[in-house]
Amino acid sequence: MKISNFSKITSNILGSRLTGFIRDVLLANFLGANVLSDAFLFAYRLPNLFRRIFAEGAVNSVFIPMYVNLEKENKNLSNDFIWFVFIIFFIFTGLLTILVFVFNAQVISILAPGFVDNDSQFNLASILLPITFPFLIFVTLSAILSSVLNTKGSFFLPSFLSVILNIFMIVSLLIFKSDSYIPLAWSMIIAGLIQLFLLFINLSFLKITWKLSLNSFSKILPKLVIFFKRFFYSVVGSGIVQLNIFISMIFASLVGQGSISHIYYADRIIDLPFALIAVAMSITLLPYLSKNILDENKNAEAFNQTIIFCYIFALPSSFAIFFLGSDIVQVLFGRGEFLDSDVIITSKILIIYSLSLPAYMIARICSQVFFSYERVDLPVKASVPTFISNFLMCLIFYKSLGVVGLAIAGAISIWLN
């Protein structure tokens, strides 16, 4: 596994996280942590939660091993495989977006029941969600094309895409400030279109162009059936993991004002070391393991090096965030509309999250091994008790401990996973 590929991805992820922090600092400064910021973050996070299920989890983990193997067998069929999968996901995410648009109020009532009692919060969420949710279409299709680029050793653009989104959101915040809720929602759609356009250009440089023959459908159909069976398993697995976030969001809406925002800001900080190390390593590890599937020694060595590398960074990061959590939150977000009380609550959540960081990283790496060996059923089995325990703990803790109890439930469930 090439360190150069890892360094390219890490540098882009660092750029993504830095621009993301600038965006979040501005969000906290102009929007604060209140009922309206909760409404925006709900509309922002919902398509991103589906993105994690479909794009980052299932599409990447199932698509890459199958595409690599198919390309070895028949390059023409592998090209058709790309575009048939692309079209099917375009139709599927499009239909899902239409359903959310039609049943907008019902979706909000189910996933954020605490909004129902606050008219201004519910109305803002109802306006924003139909705008933000189509972002799922663009980001899922981008994930498919990014997977192709990753298998070709082209890691730069796929890992740079989120920087584009962050820049558009930053510009919206700087222009509209405290009135930026709707401009922020539209900035997501504009960024998604640009991301997809750039990926098509990048693929054309690699001579991978839109070329689809309906005559080949009968040949590629068995592969598509296998792909979607594995995709279903992976969706169930990653979906159950992401359901933990849904559960936290549902209970956070019931806890009270600003709870969704507090969880979001703590999550953004813990996501920096996770993305720089675990995500970057897993992006390069999966194609490597898939290509060397018959060489157990190579794969074992790559896996062991990755685990050791993760621990080297995970443990110091965990200790640093644990002891400096309150200072980090104060420096990043403690200004403008983000009050001292918001800093205290967010700091408590962050300190709890820091205890689960090593498990969070290692679980991501281990999952890539199952995916590369096309054993997507095993992570599914591991995720079921994780979901059940998280739900029960949220139910027990949210009334007595509030949003801190939700953080405790999440941290324990990550270690269990």
Side-chain angles (χ1 to χ4, degrees):
M1 188 168 60
K2 293 183 179 179
I3 297 298
S4 60
N5 289 336
F6 169 72
S7 63
K8 288 177 185 177
I9 295 171
T10 301
S11 62
N12 274 351
I13 289 178
L14 180 59
S16 169
R17 291 308 181 266
L18 288 176
T19 53
F21 272 128
I22 294 171
R23 178 201 65 200
D24 292 334
V25 167
L26 293 174
L27 278 172
N29 184 61
F30 293 129
L31 307 185
N34 49 60
V35 292
L36 296 183
S37 67
D38 280 3
F40 168 75
L41 289 173
F42 168 79
Y44 168 72
R45 297 199 77 179
L46 191 59
N48 280 288
L49 288 175
F50 278 103
R51 169 183 63 86
R52 290 184 178 184
I53 296 173
F54 298 141
E56 289 184 358
V59 172
N60 285 342
S61 58
V62 179
F63 179 85
I64 288 177
M66 286 199 67
Y67 174 70
V68 168
N69 292 332
L70 191 56
E71 192 177 35
K72 291 177 183 177
E73 298 172 12
N74 189 316
K75 283 198 171 184
N76 290 329
L77 280 182
S78 68
N79 187 78
D80 288 343
F81 180 69
I82 297 170
W83 301 118
F84 275 119
V85 170
F86 185 92
I87 291 171
I88 292 170
F89 273 103
F90 174 72
I91 295 170
F92 176 73
T93 54
L95 291 174
L96 185 59
T97 300
I98 292 170
L99 285 174
V100 170
F101 183 83
V102 173
F103 299 103
N104 183 24
Q106 289 85 346
V107 170
I108 296 171
S109 299
I110 293 170
L111 298 180
F115 289 8
V116 176
D117 296 328
N118 190 308
D119 289 340
S120 60
Q121 190 176 37
F122 189 88
N123 291 337
L124 181 60
S126 299
I127 293 169
L128 293 174
L129 188 57
I131 302 173
T132 60
F133 202 83
F135 180 70
L136 174 66
I137 300 173
F138 305 120
V139 77
T140 302
L141 299 181
S142 294
I144 297 168
L145 302 186
S146 294
S147 297
V148 177
L149 290 175
N150 287 340
T151 61
K152 301 297 182 182
S154 180
F155 295 97
F156 180 83
L157 181 60
S159 57
F160 184 75
L161 294 178
S162 57
V163 175
I164 299 171
L165 173 63
N166 292 335
I167 290 172
F168 274 91
M169 295 185 75
I170 288 169
V171 171
S172 297
L173 284 162
L174 290 174
I175 294 174
F176 296 97
K177 297 181 171 58
S178 58
D179 296 321
S180 57
Y181 295 107
I182 294 177
L184 279 169
W186 281 112
S187 71
M188 293 172 60
I189 302 303
I190 296 169
L193 282 167
I194 292 174
Q195 289 171 346
L196 195 57
F197 176 72
L198 291 175
L199 285 168
F200 270 109
I201 293 175
N202 209 264
L203 284 171
S204 67
F205 289 145
L206 297 176
K207 297 181 180 179
I208 301 174
T209 56
W210 180 277
K211 184 181 177 183
L212 191 62
S213 172
L214 293 177
N215 295 329
S216 64
F217 182 73
S218 58
K219 296 180 181 178
I220 204 69
L221 182 59
K223 297 291 183 182
L224 290 173
V225 171
I226 294 171
F227 171 80
F228 281 102
K229 281 183 179 178
R230 293 173 181 172
F231 172 76
F232 173 75
Y233 267 111
S234 188
V235 162
V236 173
S238 60
I240 290 174
V241 173
Q242 296 307 318
L243 271 177
N244 288 330
I245 301 176
F246 277 117
I247 293 299
S248 296
M249 194 158 59
I250 290 170
F251 282 103
S253 74
L254 295 170
V255 167
Q257 178 174 321
S259 295
I260 292 176
S261 300
H262 296 142
I263 290 175
Y264 170 79
Y265 290 118
D267 185 60
R268 292 297 300 160
I269 295 172
I270 209 73
D271 196 46
L272 177 61
F274 174 75
L276 288 176
I277 307 303
V279 173
M281 292 299 289
S282 64
I283 288 173
T284 55
L285 183 66
L286 180 56
Y288 182 88
L289 293 177
S290 299
K291 289 179 179 178
N292 297 283
I293 201 73
L294 299 178
D295 194 329
E296 292 292 341
N297 291 330
K298 271 190 177 182
N299 279 358
E301 184 180 359
F303 174 70
N304 290 334
Q305 288 177 351
T306 304
I307 292 291
I308 292 169
F309 195 78
C310 270
Y311 268 122
I312 289 171
F313 284 91
L315 295 177
S317 298
S318 183
F319 278 110
I321 294 173
F322 181 84
F323 288 108
L324 301 174
S326 58
D327 295 325
I328 293 170
V329 174
Q330 178 65 50
V331 170
L332 288 175
F333 306 127
R335 62 185 61 80
E337 297 295 322
F338 203 82
L339 308 177
D340 290 341
S341 57
D342 298 321
V343 172
I344 292 170
I345 297 171
T346 305
S347 300
K348 290 179 180 178
I349 297 169
L350 179 61
I351 290 169
I352 294 167
Y353 280 173
S354 70
L355 300 175
S356 65
L357 183 59
Y360 195 23
M361 287 188 177
I362 300 304
R364 173 65 182 247
I365 298 300
C366 290
S367 294
Q368 302 308 300
V369 179
F370 296 118
F371 294 145
S372 64
Y373 282 81
E374 302 184 14
R375 288 302 308 273
V376 295
D377 57 309
L378 295 176
V380 173
K381 295 174 182 177
S383 64
V384 173
T386 303
F387 168 71
I388 295 172
S389 65
N390 183 64
F391 176 78
L392 292 175
M393 285 186 288
C394 284
L395 190 61
I396 293 168
F397 293 151
Y398 90 97
K399 284 187 178 179
S400 57
L401 299 176
V403 71
V404 174
L406 302 182
I408 293 172
I412 294 173
S413 66
I414 288 172
W415 276 106
L416 178 61
N417 187 54

